[in-house]
Every structure is written in C-alpha cells, then in structure tokens.
C-alpha cells in the first residue's frame, strides 16, 4: 500500500492509511430509505434506541478512551473483547458512497445494525461523515454548491435518524492530505462544505455534537484556515490525528500551540476542547516492536490526559493484515487472525493488555495533578477517585533509573503497564525509591492511610 512521508516537528512520519483501507467496510445494501425535507421515510430500528447524554466525554477513565474500527457487523465475540479492554468509544466511517447508493436515496441499514450492537455493549460512536459520492462532482470531494448541498442533506438524514445516541459527528477525515480530499487538499472547499453540513445538522438535530476537521497530524496552517473561516461557530470540539514516530510526550508543545490558536478564534464564551481522534504506532516501523507499541499506547493515553485532551482514540482495533513487513498491517491492539468459537477470538498484543490495565487500574479515576520531579524526562501522575489516590510513573530515559518519588507513607502494590504484579514497596517519610523504565508502572495504595490526596 502507498505510504506517505510528511514532516512534523522535525520528524519524518510514515502515515499508515490509504483510502482503500478507510473504505474497506463491506456494507450490505439491503433496503433503500428515502429522505425528504421533513424526515426519513423508513421504518424505525426494531430495538428502541437508548437515549445517551449528548455531551462530550469527561476525562474520567475509561469513559474517555476509544479505538478505531472498520466494520458495521462485528464477528461473534469481537465487540465483547473490545469492550473488555475498557474502550468506551469506537470511531468508524459513515460512508456517503455506501449509504446513498442511488441519487437522493439513502440506506442506513448497516449502521442500524452497528448502533444496535454498540447500544448492547454501552459503547458510544464517533462517526466520520466522509468522503465523496459518484453522483456529485465527478466523484471528487465536494467542490460545487450542488455537491455540498447533497452531502449536507445526507448528513442531516443521518444525524436526524440517530440523534440522541450520544454520537460525535465528525466532518470528514484528514481533508488536509490528498489521499482523502480529491484531487488535492483545498481548505476553501472544505470550509464551505463543513459550513453547509453544520447548518443542515443544526436545522434538523440542533443538540447533536459536531466536530472537525480530523487533520492528519496537527496541521496548524490548515487548522487556522478553518478557524479563520468561522468553523468554530459550528464545531463543539477540534479533532486532530497527532501521528508521529517519536515518543507520545513530544505532542505536548503542539497541543499548547493548538489551544492558543483555538482561543484566538473561538466565539466569546465558547469553550472548545481538543480531541485526539486517531493516533497509533505500527509495531513494525523501524526501531519498533509489539512491546514498544504497548508502552506507547499507555503513554499516549496518559499524556493526552495530562494535556487536557478529553477523548483519545487509538488506531487500530485489530491488525489489518498478516504481512510482517507492511507497517499498515500492524497498528492493532490484537493480531489479524480471527479464531471463531475460541475465547478470546483474537490474539491480544501487549497494546491490548496495556489498554485493559489502564482502564481497570484507573477505572473511575481522573487526573488530579502531575507531580513535579527534577527531571523533565520523568513522569509521576496522580489520579483521584473521591478521596482515593493512585499513581502512574515512567521515564523517557533509555535505561532504567532509580528515582525518589514523593509519595505518602504507606505500603503500595506495583503493576506493570500490561497488568503483571510487580510486588510491593513501602514509602517512608521521604517517599519511595522506585526504578523507573519507559513502561508506565501503576502504584496502588494497600493501606487506608494513604487513600487521600497529598
């Protein structure tokens, strides 16, 4: 598959997506639904929808964690395994081409099935409104008023159909790179489209959450063009894809610059958070492997929380192929092969155990504060749930190093980033000496005396 090299903060980044991959969900078109200006002329789904809060997620673990998928019909046992890892969100394409198979006629039946499965497992969806349709603008990304209004009508039909399901509606996917905005990126055309879709959604489902632009990396030039074009009037959050081959912690200065830019252009009194809508690491990039991928998943989620990013979605749920030399095939938390009738139905990678450990060890916790250490390469984060505190520690150093951590006196259990018990240690009046590595360690109080914030 074609690979694109881009520069980001001095790092060469191998992006792992092609248009074919993003569209590879096979959608069976079973029935055609018609939409008019007054609504959908189609039967309601058999199972009554559960109404979910139409709000952005709070930064509480695991409610702020998700994963990308590429299907509307999961295999038996697949969603169960995904949910057991602690993911509470899925991100999935809502393909315009697949759901408007005839001009002006919509078929959302595949997504009815997906919504039913997600409802059963109490998962929320981020649905991407993408890409183009052969009936409009020669099958290119919309660039005429006819094409924009056609996509806006389709988006309005979808949001009206699924309103109240707690969905985040995302305007397109990576419109700043040529794989996805055909024939080449055009900020002006994107802004006009995003406005048309935003107006249509607000007219039929004004309480639904609308976000964008889902840029490849944190493309400040493209983002500022969107903000200058007035899109923050419509968006409830700004989504970005901070891919890189450098450590997750290198994203922090970019988030700071983006937040400054949002504040500059945001309407008065409107708070617009940043969402990490897609970000992962291939296990077969140069100098990477599955173990490093698992460490980076945990650190990515943790550093997003430290950066006040309220939703983190990992790319990808499972490996997209078996080729050991193809980076595109190895972003998953589980391996490619599916085992029907076996539990688990996929072989977990360290990234899967890292997600499950973080979501279980810190379930119900939110970041209380980072604890300042005398080295910028060492991290100690305190999480709190009521009066109970837990800590996570790691270092960017390439070799393990001993650190005196300023923890309250008491006894602690230690767990690795993949959930393995690492014994216990006691903190005295000066804290606890712990050997830090590049893998996060979970530090759990064992006595009631240190279940308070210090």
């Amino acid at each position: 598959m074609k690979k694109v090299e881009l520069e980001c903060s001095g790092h060469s980044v191998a992006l792992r997506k092609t248009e074919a991959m993003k569209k590879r969900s096979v959608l069976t078109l079973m029935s055609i639904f018609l939409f008019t200006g007054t609504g959908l002329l189609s039967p309601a789904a058999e199972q009554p929808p559960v109404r979910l809060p139409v709000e952005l997620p709070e930064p509480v673990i695991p409610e702020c964690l998700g994963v990308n998928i590429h299907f509307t019909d999961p295999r038996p046992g697949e969603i169960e395994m995904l949910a057991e890892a602690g993911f509470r969100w899925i991100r999935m394409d809502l393909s315009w081409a697949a759901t408007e198979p005839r001009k002006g006629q919509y078929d959302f039946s595949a997504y009815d099935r997906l919504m039913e499965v997600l409802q059963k497992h109490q998962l929320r969806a981020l649905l991407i409104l993408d890409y183009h349709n052969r009936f409009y603008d020669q099958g290119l990304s919309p660039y005429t008023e006819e094409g924009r209004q056609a996509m806006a009508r389709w988006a309005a039909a979808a949001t009206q159909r699924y309103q109240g399901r707690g969905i985040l509606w995302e305007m397109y996917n990576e419109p700043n790179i040529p794989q996805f905005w055909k024939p080449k990126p055009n900020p002006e055309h994107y802004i006009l489209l995003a406005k048309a879709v935003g107006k249509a959604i607000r007219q039929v489902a004004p309480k639904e959450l609308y976000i964008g632009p889902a840029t490849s990396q944190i493309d400040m030039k493209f983002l500022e063009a969107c903000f200058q074009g007035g899109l923050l009037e419509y968006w409830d959050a700004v989504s970005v894809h901070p891919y890189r081959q450098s450590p997750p912690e290198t994203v922090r200065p970019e988030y700071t610059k983006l937040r400054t830019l949002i504040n500059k252009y945001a309407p008065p009194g409107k708070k617009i958070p940043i969402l990490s809508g897609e970000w992962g690491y291939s296990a077969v990039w140069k100098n990477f492997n599955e173990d490093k991928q698992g460490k980076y998943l945990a650190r990515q989620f943790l550093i997003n929380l430290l950066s006040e990013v309220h939703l983190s979605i990992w790319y990808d749920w499972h490996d997209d192929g078996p080729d050991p030399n193809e980076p595109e095939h190895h972003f998953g938390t589980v391996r490619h092969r599916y085992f029907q009738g076996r539990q688990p139905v996929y072989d977990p990678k360290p990234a899967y155990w890292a997600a499950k450990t973080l979501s279980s060890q810190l379930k119900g916790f939110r970041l209380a504060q980072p604890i300042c250490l005398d080295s910028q390469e060492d991290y100690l984060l305190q999480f709190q749930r009521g009066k109970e505190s837990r800590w996570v520690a790691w270092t960017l150093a390439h070799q393990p190093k001993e650190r005196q951590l300023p923890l309250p006196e008491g006894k602690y259990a230690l767990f690795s980033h993949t959930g393995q018990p690492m014994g216990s240690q006691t903190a005295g009046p000066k804290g606890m000496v712990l050997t830090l590595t590049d893998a996060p360690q979970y530090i759990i109080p064992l006595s009631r005396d240190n279940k308070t914030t210090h």
Side-chain angles (χ1 to χ4, degrees):
M1 296 182 184
K2 185 177 180 182
K3 191 165 60 178
V4 178
E5 295 291 329
L6 295 177
E7 290 298 318
C8 178
S9 299
H11 301 283
S12 178
V13 179
L15 295 181
R16 71 298 130 275
K17 293 196 320 252
T18 65
E19 191 167 14
M21 280 183 64
K22 289 291 289 185
K23 293 182 174 181
R24 72 195 185 107
S25 302
V26 179
L27 305 178
T28 304
L29 304 179
M30 299 176 62
S31 60
I32 294 176
F33 300 129
L34 304 179
F35 175 81
T36 68
T38 57
L40 288 168
L41 302 178
S42 62
E46 292 184 6
Q47 183 177 356
V50 172
R51 297 297 173 183
L52 295 174
V54 181
E55 57 189 21
L56 293 167
E58 289 291 320
V60 177
I61 298 173
E63 306 308 321
C64 57
L65 307 180
V67 69
N68 278 264
I69 64 171
H70 301 291
F71 56 79
T72 54
D73 296 292
R75 294 169 169 178
E78 183 166 22
I79 284 291
E80 289 82 358
M81 187 178 182
L82 184 154
E84 285 172 4
F87 297 118
R88 291 296 176 263
W89 288 81
I90 63 91
R91 181 176 183 263
M92 172 63 184
D93 299 275
L94 178 57
S95 169
W96 184 19
T99 53
E100 188 177 342
R102 299 180 186 175
K103 193 171 184 178
Q105 298 179 339
Y106 306 136
D107 181 354
F108 294 109
S109 56
Y111 291 90
D112 288 345
R113 299 192 298 273
L114 178 61
M115 289 300 108
E116 185 176 345
V117 170
L118 297 181
Q119 175 180 313
K120 180 179 178 182
H121 294 280
Q122 299 180 320
L123 298 172
R124 291 180 66 181
L126 188 161
L127 295 182
I128 318 159
L129 300 167
D130 60 24
Y131 286 100
H132 34 71
N133 191 298
R134 64 189 177 92
F135 299 117
Y136 311 98
D137 292 340
Q138 297 81 50
L140 300 173
S141 301
Y143 66 90
T144 67
E145 189 61 18
E146 179 193 11
R148 288 190 286 269
Q149 291 303 320
M151 190 175 194
R153 288 192 297 272
W154 163 79
T159 52
Q160 188 174 40
R161 184 174 185 82
Y162 299 119
Q163 63 183 319
R165 302 287 190 98
I167 295 170
L168 295 183
W169 301 95
E170 187 170 46
M171 187 60 242
Y172 221 87
N173 175 70
E174 300 191 351
N176 61 319
I177 59 175
Q179 289 100 314
F180 301 112
W181 192 275
K182 302 293 186 180
K184 62 180 181 180
N186 187 313
E188 181 181 354
H189 288 167
Y190 174 79
I191 292 165
L192 290 170
L193 178 64
K195 282 186 174 181
V197 170
K199 290 176 182 177
I201 290 174
R202 292 289 177 254
Q203 184 174 6
V204 300
K207 294 184 179 180
E208 292 297 290
L209 296 172
Y210 181 49
I211 68 173
T215 54
S216 172
Q217 304 179 300
I218 304 180
D219 185 339
M220 295 296 181
K221 184 177 180 180
F222 190 91
L223 287 158
E224 185 164 20
C226 291
F227 303 162
Q228 287 176 331
L231 290 182
L232 294 181
E233 295 279 352
Y234 298 90
W235 285 337
D236 297 291
V238 169
S239 58
V240 292
H241 300 168
Y243 283 101
R244 63 202 59 231
Q245 292 191 32
S246 55
E249 295 78 6
T250 60
V251 77
R252 295 186 68 191
E254 295 172 60
Y255 280 148
T256 299
K257 291 179 182 178
L258 176 55
R259 187 164 284 109
T260 299
L261 202 61
I262 292 171
N263 292 338
K264 178 180 176 180
Y265 291 101
K270 185 176 183 181
K271 184 177 181 181
I272 303 174
I274 298 170
L275 307 182
S276 176
E278 182 184 321
W279 182 9
Y281 289 84
S282 174
V284 298
W285 276 339
K286 184 179 179 180
N287 299 322
F288 276 80
N289 54 36
E290 289 186 354
D291 287 336
K292 186 173 182 178
Q293 181 189 49
K295 296 173 185 178
Y296 274 22
L297 180 145
R299 285 164 53 179
Q300 177 180 308
F301 283 167
L302 291 165
I303 215 67
N304 277 344
L305 285 167
L306 181 58
S307 303
E308 300 182 49
V309 172
H310 286 199
L311 178 60
S312 299
I313 296 184
W314 175 265
Y315 189 92
D316 202 0
W317 159 235
H318 67 69
D319 283 351
D320 289 325
D323 186 342
N325 299 313
E326 175 50 72
E328 309 286 351
H329 287 187
H330 296 278
F331 281 84
T333 65
V334 296
R335 296 195 179 95
H336 176 68
R337 185 181 178 187
Y338 171 76
F339 296 89
Q340 186 171 1
R342 194 196 77 174
Q343 294 297 330
V345 293
Y346 291 102
D347 286 332
K349 294 163 67 177
Y352 179 88
W353 296 118
K356 186 169 185 177
T357 300
L358 188 148
S359 64
S360 59
Q361 290 291 357
L362 298 178
K363 184 176 182 179
F365 284 78
R366 65 173 66 216
L367 182 65
Q369 60 183 7
I371 298 173
C372 293
L373 302 176
D374 58 12
S375 172
Q376 292 186 353
E377 68 178 8
D378 301 334
Y379 286 82
L380 177 62
L381 305 185
Q382 179 183 357
F383 288 82
Q384 191 168 354
R385 182 178 63 190
K387 294 184 177 181
E388 183 180 0
S389 289
R390 294 184 175 186
W391 291 262
V392 188
W394 74 97
T395 182
L396 305 186
H398 297 298
Q399 299 297 325
K401 58 190 297 189
E402 282 195 350
R403 285 304 312 264
Q404 184 90 30
L405 302 181
L407 298 175
E409 290 187 61
K411 191 173 183 180
Y412 297 85
L414 304 177
F415 294 88
S416 75
H417 72 292
T418 54
Q420 300 301 312
M422 300 174 67
S424 62
Q425 280 190 230
T426 300
K430 294 183 179 181
M432 180 171 70
V433 176
L434 184 66
T435 301
L436 301 185
T437 72
D438 62 346
Q441 296 178 62
Y442 296 89
I443 305 169
I444 314 298
L446 291 176
S447 64
R448 296 184 61 184
D449 295 340
N450 47 13
K451 286 188 178 181
T452 57
T453 304
H454 293 264

